[in-house]
Amino acid sequence: MPNSLSERAQRLVFIGLIVALVAFGLYFTLGGFGGGDDAPEEPSAAPEEARSGDNGAGEPSSLDDLSTVEPSPITTTDEDDVDVLTWFPFEEAELREAGATARAFAEAYGTIDYSQSPEAYFGAMEELATDEYAEILADTSRVGAFWEEMSEAEAVAEGHAEVDRVRTFGEDSITFVLTAQSITETGDAQFDENLGEFAVTVVREGGTWLVFDFQPADVGQFGEE
């Protein structure tokens, strides 16, 4: 069939086809008209990373995440071989020194010579007490009353004390419970007087243990109150 288009028209159709093909090629290359102006989307987090972030760092999300390294059990000590002193925040020597201070204070409390001045009696305890407690020592009802009672009886007494147990302790304080005794001698007789149990709280000041409180055991300190 003879071609009805002229040579010039055929060239225009051919050029039009080429332009159309180039236009479609640019369209698909740029992702559509206007797509070149949009910023590329950020890739989403990988599923594994998202799950690990939800569970917290270092925490296995399942048994599959546990380490395959051979475990190392802690060293345990047989009950009969446990050194209980290691449970305290003090060395053994510190406990002994603190207990000795509490004991010496209780012995000074039970030691009285009516022929001496009350200052001498209180002074023996003040040397073992903190500055704060030493200032009120003579004013405390128990210590002052005991001096008055024994001096009126013209008694000479020697104090004895024994630490029974540790009631409580803190980082720099220990409360001991001890039994105090005063062996008293008067003009008429000599007898033993059991003064009872006392709670003595000692505190560490500059490497030295000093008495901070001295009370009957049933009302004495039960901690760092």
Side-chain angles (χ1 to χ4, degrees):
M1 183 176 186
N3 191 350
S4 59
L5 296 177
S6 64
E7 184 178 351
R8 186 168 181 268
Q10 291 178 8
R11 290 180 179 178
L12 291 175
V13 172
F14 182 77
I15 293 173
L17 290 174
I18 293 176
V19 172
L21 290 175
V22 172
F24 278 109
L26 292 174
Y27 175 83
F28 288 114
T29 301
L30 299 176
F33 293 111
D37 296 334
D38 296 336
E41 296 182 359
E42 292 291 336
S44 59
E48 290 298 328
E49 294 178 357
R51 284 197 297 270
S52 63
D54 294 339
N55 293 332
E59 297 182 4
S61 58
S62 67
L63 291 177
D64 295 336
D65 296 329
L66 295 177
S67 174
T68 57
V69 178
E70 189 72 19
S72 301
I74 62 174
T75 302
T76 58
T77 305
D78 187 77
E79 182 178 348
D80 295 334
D81 298 329
V82 172
D83 182 5
V84 296
L85 291 177
T86 61
W87 299 347
F88 291 85
F90 315 103
E91 299 292 336
E92 180 178 355
E94 294 176 311
L95 283 171
R96 292 183 182 277
E97 182 181 351
T101 299
R103 177 178 177 178
F105 188 93
E107 290 179 342
Y109 169 74
T111 301
I112 289 180
D113 186 347
Y114 77 94
S115 63
Q116 296 182 354
S117 66
E119 288 77 17
Y121 171 66
F122 294 124
M125 287 177 281
E126 290 172 352
E127 292 179 356
L128 300 169
T130 62
D131 293 339
E132 177 184 2
Y133 190 56
E135 291 179 357
I136 63 172
L137 187 59
D139 298 331
T140 58
S141 59
R142 169 162 293 277
V143 176
F146 188 62
W147 163 259
E148 292 179 2
E149 175 188 349
M150 300 297 280
S151 61
E152 289 177 1
E154 296 185 348
V156 176
E158 181 180 359
H160 297 265
E162 180 69 15
V163 175
D164 297 326
R165 60 189 180 275
V166 172
R167 169 172 287 179
T168 186
F169 61 89
E171 184 177 353
D172 290 300
S173 69
I174 309 174
T175 298
F176 295 96
V177 175
L178 49 78
T179 300
Q181 183 187 53
S182 184
I183 300 179
T184 307
E185 181 179 357
T186 66
D188 299 329
Q190 177 175 340
F191 55 93
D192 295 349
E193 182 178 356
N194 185 8
L195 301 178
E197 286 191 333
F198 291 86
V200 186
T201 299
V202 295
V203 296
R204 180 164 47 190
E205 291 187 359
T208 302
W209 293 96
L210 298 172
V211 174
F212 177 77
D213 189 57
F214 177 78
Q215 296 287 341
D218 56 346
V219 296
Q221 286 199 349
F222 285 84
E224 293 184 296
E225 304 170 353

